[in-house]
Amino acid sequence: MTHNPPQFDFSQSLGLSLDKLPLRQSAVVSAVAAPADSPEWAQWLTEIGFIPGEPVEVLAKGMPGSDPLVVRVGDSTFALRRAEAACIQLVSQIAQGRLKAAA
């Protein structure tokens, strides 16, 4: 059995990265893009579960300066630095719901 990755409607993109997502607001990963000076972050973030289609939520923010962030992706919870979370682009839950309905 082959698994086809979901196709995203990027017109519904939040224009938001995970580091800017408000506490307890759900979104869905649309892409991971690492900064030029740390290209290995994209692979690492993907390996731990930040892949397109996975639901995400910010559970807590550290004090002071909101660093690190406690985030849930799928069924896993991680602490990420804000710079790492900024690599994760999001799409709204509404767009994700449309994808599931079309499948």
Side-chain angles (χ1 to χ4, degrees):
M1 184 168 127
T2 341
H3 179 272
N4 294 326
Q7 299 298 310
F8 289 95
D9 177 4
F10 289 102
S11 67
Q12 296 298 317
S13 174
L14 296 176
L16 194 64
S17 54
L18 185 57
D19 64 314
K20 304 282 193 247
L21 187 67
L23 284 174
R24 298 291 181 175
Q25 181 177 326
S26 296
V28 176
V29 175
S30 64
V32 176
D37 61 341
S38 300
E40 69 280 2
W41 287 6
Q43 180 177 350
W44 173 72
L45 289 166
T46 301
E47 287 173 354
I48 65 171
F50 292 94
I51 56 174
E54 284 297 315
V56 294
E57 181 179 359
V58 177
L59 302 176
K61 296 180 180 183
M63 295 303 265
S66 299
D67 208 4
L69 302 174
V70 178
V71 299
R72 173 160 293 154
V73 58
D75 293 328
S76 301
T77 304
F78 297 97
L80 296 179
R81 295 176 287 184
R82 291 185 70 78
E84 295 162 341
C87 298
I88 302 163
Q89 299 302 306
L90 306 174
V91 68
S92 71
Q93 285 282 19
I94 294 167
Q96 178 67 10
R98 288 182 190 146
L99 290 170
K100 287 182 180 177

